[in-house]
Amino acid sequence: MLTSRTWRRWAAALGLTAVLLPAAATPAAAYAPPAAHRLVLPEPPPADTVRTELDALKVKAPRSMAGYSRAKFPHWIKQYGECDTREVVLSRDGQGVTQDAKCRAVSGTWYSPYDDKTLDSASTVDIDHMVPLANAWRSGADTWSTERRKAFANDLDDPQLIAVSAGSNRSKGDQSPDQWAPPNQDYWCTYSRAWAHVKSLYGLDVTQPEKDKLIAMLNTCD
């Protein structure tokens, strides 16, 4: 569920009242984000801070994928009413987004920073886990509780979820930055800051090639 901190920030950005009306009684236009709310994801820390975080991470070989299943990371949970995590991110990251009584995005546009594309249909938008679930499993999440994995998979407080084109998300898959980086190199600074920061927050490991690539990508911030 939404933490109180996330709810206050997200509700304030959307201009919602403290007590949300039932979805069926709320017009779709009420969910449209104002023009000033254009954050693609929560801003990661500056590059210098992230370099320190990255340096503190353990460098290890990937763990076994034995036992992995996406079902072990319950995702797109209901956040309030009919709104699940996917719909919250679609509304947060889009422009001119309207939602129906079931909180489904029915119109709007979304900018995909991975490949510098603008999309005009929610059906062409994926919500990417910045650090993919399978990568997290190989990096230490195999030892987590289901509740911790659920929190990771639905994290709205940190730069872990982002609306991007379905094509770029599926091209990325579960690959680390040394295996896949956004084709739009102008986004490398933000991408590397977000990736390393999320790994630091959750105490996940990195491989040496992954760390080397993150350092190179962080250097684009200078």
Side-chain angles (χ1 to χ4, degrees):
M1 300 297 288
L2 278 173
T3 64
S4 59
R5 175 162 65 95
T6 302
W7 168 247
R8 286 195 300 271
R9 181 170 64 191
W10 196 72
L14 299 186
L16 299 178
T17 56
V19 179
L20 190 72
L21 295 176
T26 307
Y31 294 105
H37 190 59
R38 294 292 178 255
L39 287 180
V40 176
L41 79 169
E43 184 69 16
D48 286 347
T49 300
V50 173
R51 287 187 180 99
T52 300
E53 292 177 335
L54 178 59
D55 192 54
L57 295 181
K58 294 179 180 178
V59 177
K60 294 185 177 181
R63 303 186 188 208
S64 169
M65 285 295 288
Y68 170 75
S69 166
R70 285 180 66 85
K72 292 186 176 181
F73 293 79
H75 52 290
W76 306 169
I77 61 173
K78 285 292 194 301
Q79 297 287 358
Y80 67 86
E82 294 296 321
C83 299
D84 64 20
T85 305
R86 170 180 164 82
E87 298 300 343
V88 170
V89 178
L90 282 173
S91 181
R92 182 196 73 187
D93 290 6
Q95 298 187 27
V97 178
T98 57
Q99 295 169 292
D100 64 17
K102 293 187 177 181
C103 209
R104 295 171 298 199
V106 295
S107 66
T109 59
W110 292 266
Y111 175 69
S112 172
Y114 286 2
D115 47 6
D116 193 27
K117 292 182 178 179
T118 298
L119 313 165
D120 60 7
S121 172
S123 65
T124 64
V125 180
D126 278 1
I127 307 305
D128 181 44
H129 290 95
M130 177 63 66
V131 176
L133 307 182
N135 183 279
W137 180 271
R138 295 192 297 270
S139 305
D142 57 328
T143 66
W144 292 355
S145 67
T146 299
E147 282 302 305
R148 182 162 175 78
R149 288 195 285 262
K150 180 168 72 172
F152 177 82
N154 298 277
D155 187 349
L156 295 168
D157 289 327
D158 304 301
Q160 166 64 347
L161 297 172
I162 179 173
V164 297
S165 69
S168 65
N169 183 46
R170 294 165 198 185
S171 174
K172 172 183 174 178
D174 65 354
Q175 299 177 93
S176 55
D178 55 300
Q179 301 165 325
W180 185 92
N184 177 20
Q185 294 191 20
D186 288 343
Y187 197 65
W188 280 18
C189 173
T190 301
Y191 189 85
S192 57
R193 286 159 53 216
W195 179 289
H197 182 58
V198 168
K199 285 222 158 176
S200 176
L201 287 172
Y202 284 90
L204 294 169
D205 305 331
V206 291
T207 66
Q208 189 61 58
E210 176 186 357
K211 182 175 181 178
D212 292 343
K213 181 66 173 184
L214 286 168
I215 291 171
M217 294 174 78
L218 286 168
N219 287 340
T220 67
C221 299
D222 298 332

